């Protein structure tokens, strides 16, 4: 391609670059506003100030004063989301692995019934789930938080679809070498499907971290509160300190953003069904 041809292509791409730049700035602005609001007073935030202030330490002190359980709520969120992510990945990947690599017409029918569960809203199952958890005496525990979400139709479908790219010849060779089915799963399937595991981990962790309605139902003890519940307490009042509220939201948002940025490449590969 000649230099003139490359120049013409670059000129035609200028509107595209301008559009993408504008969309990027619009997307980033809420996050920027959240950070700046955390450094300003409530009055300044209400007035629409969007530059950095000098009240970050004051807001942090007020946050600890208003919510002394901040660090405990942060720890609970990490524990609940971490345990749910690990257990959900193991169970859903086993299910997706079995549905795809050992499927028959009866399992396909069962999988179709499983997909119908995706159409059932969470609120429709909340009362019977609460009764089950209450009878098992699991209220205010990590198990009450994770049990309804350790096996989701979406994750099972995701692992099943991506398992179609798994080379079955490896399984046959492993069986000839005497490997058991569980060793094939843990030593061969899991390393090959690491991109899918990364994508599923990001989705599961973010959903668990941001969960509010179900934890609000099963967690009545202040010591079992999570970060979304703590933020809701800050917002429920006659006078809301927006600087403190935005600082708490920043605390709550950072872990999920960090995890996404670390795993963003694997997340993209897993969503598109890439197999390594």
């Amino acid at each position: 391609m000649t230099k003139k041809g490359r120049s013409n292509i670059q000129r035609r791409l200028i509107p595209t670059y301008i559009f993408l730049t504008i969309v990027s700035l619009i997307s980033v602005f809420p996050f920027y506003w959240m950070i700046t609001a955390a450094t300003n007073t409530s009055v300044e935030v209400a007035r629409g100030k969007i530059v950095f202030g000098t009240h970050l330490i004051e807001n942090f002190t007020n946050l600890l004063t208003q919510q002394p359980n901040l660090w405990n709520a942060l720890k609970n969120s990490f524990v609940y989301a971490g345990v749910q992510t690990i257990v959900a990945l193991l169970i859903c990947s086993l299910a997706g692995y079995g549905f795809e690599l050992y499927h028959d017409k009866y399992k396909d029918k069962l999988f179709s019934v499983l997909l119908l569960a995706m159409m059932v809203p969470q609120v429709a199952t909340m009362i019977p789930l609460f009764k089950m958890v209450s009878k098992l005496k699991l209220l205010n525990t990590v198990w009450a938080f994770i049990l309804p979400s350790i096996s989701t139709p979406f994750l099972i479908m995701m692992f099943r679809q991506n398992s179609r790219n798994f080379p079955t010849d490896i399984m046959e060779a492993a069986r000839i070498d005497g490997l058991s089915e569980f060793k094939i799963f843990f030593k061969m399937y899991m390393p090959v499907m690491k991109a899918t595991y990364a994508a599923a981990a990001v989705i599961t962790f973010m959903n668990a971290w941001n969960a509010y309605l179900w934890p609000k139902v099963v967690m009545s003890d202040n010591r079992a509160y999570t970060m979304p519940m703590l933020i809701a307490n800050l917002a429920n009042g006659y006078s809301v300190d927006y600087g403190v509220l935005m600082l708490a939201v920043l605390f709550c948002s950072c872990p999920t953003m960090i995890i996404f940025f670390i795993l963003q490449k694997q997340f993209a590969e897993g969503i598109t069904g890439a197999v390594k």
Side-chain angles (χ1 to χ4, degrees):
M1 183 181 293
T2 64
K3 184 176 181 180
K4 184 178 180 180
R6 289 196 298 267
S7 179
N8 290 334
I9 292 175
Q10 290 174 353
R11 281 198 297 269
R12 286 198 297 267
L13 289 176
I14 289 176
T16 302
Y17 291 143
I18 293 175
F19 173 76
L20 292 176
T21 301
I22 295 173
V23 172
S24 299
L25 291 175
I26 293 174
S27 301
V28 171
F29 178 76
F31 179 64
Y32 167 79
W33 182 79
M34 176 179 64
I35 296 176
T36 57
T39 65
N40 292 310
T41 64
S42 182
V43 175
E44 290 172 337
V45 175
R47 289 176 178 174
K49 183 179 178 181
I50 58 172
V51 295
F52 287 96
T54 58
H55 299 275
L56 178 61
I57 302 300
E58 179 184 344
N59 288 337
F60 182 70
T61 303
N62 292 336
L63 176 60
L64 292 179
T65 301
Q66 297 178 27
Q67 297 295 332
N69 292 325
L70 172 66
W71 302 119
N72 189 60
L74 195 62
K75 182 198 73 174
N76 289 340
S77 290
F78 272 114
V79 172
Y80 298 163
V83 173
Q84 180 173 318
T85 300
I86 294 171
V87 177
L89 289 185
L90 178 61
I91 292 177
C92 293
S93 61
L94 274 169
Y97 173 82
F99 272 120
E100 179 57 31
L101 300 178
Y102 300 96
H103 70 82
D104 54 39
K105 63 179 182 178
Y106 299 107
K107 288 181 181 177
D108 290 341
K109 291 180 180 179
L110 177 60
F111 186 73
S112 299
V113 174
L114 183 66
L115 291 181
L116 291 175
M118 295 177 66
M119 303 180 185
V120 180
Q122 182 187 18
V123 292
T125 60
M126 193 163 294
I127 294 177
L129 282 174
F130 175 78
K131 289 184 176 180
M132 291 172 59
V133 172
S134 179
K135 288 182 179 179
L136 292 172
K137 298 181 179 180
L138 296 176
L139 296 178
N140 296 309
T141 66
V142 62
W143 301 112
F145 183 96
I146 71 170
L147 281 178
S149 304
I150 58 175
S151 177
T152 61
F154 174 77
L155 286 184
I156 295 174
M157 179 184 68
M158 180 178 173
F159 275 104
R160 187 194 181 189
Q161 292 298 114
N162 290 350
S163 295
R164 293 179 177 178
N165 298 322
F166 182 75
T168 55
D169 295 342
I170 298 179
M171 295 176 58
E172 299 299 332
R175 291 193 184 105
I176 293 174
D177 290 339
L179 283 181
S180 66
E181 297 301 321
F182 277 105
K183 286 184 178 180
I184 292 174
F185 176 81
F186 286 107
K187 293 186 177 181
M188 304 182 68
Y189 177 82
M190 292 181 71
V192 171
M193 302 295 293
K194 61 182 180 180
T196 304
Y197 276 97
V202 171
I203 294 171
T204 306
F205 186 87
M206 291 180 68
N207 288 338
W209 184 272
N210 295 322
Y212 172 73
L213 185 58
W214 175 247
K216 187 67 175 177
V217 172
V218 296
M219 303 294 186
S220 57
D221 190 344
N222 290 341
R223 293 172 295 180
Y225 272 22
T226 61
M227 284 301 295
M229 299 169 68
L230 183 141
I231 292 172
N233 286 344
L234 289 172
N236 292 333
Y238 295 104
S239 178
V240 179
D241 190 328
Y242 294 108
V244 173
L245 179 62
M246 288 298 102
L247 182 59
V249 173
L250 183 61
F251 264 102
C252 189
S253 302
C254 284
T256 54
M257 289 188 293
I258 292 171
I259 289 175
F260 178 79
F261 283 130
I262 292 174
L263 299 176
Q264 60 179 325
K265 182 180 179 180
Q266 292 82 356
F267 177 80
E269 293 174 351
I271 290 295
T272 57
V275 172
K276 294 291 184 180

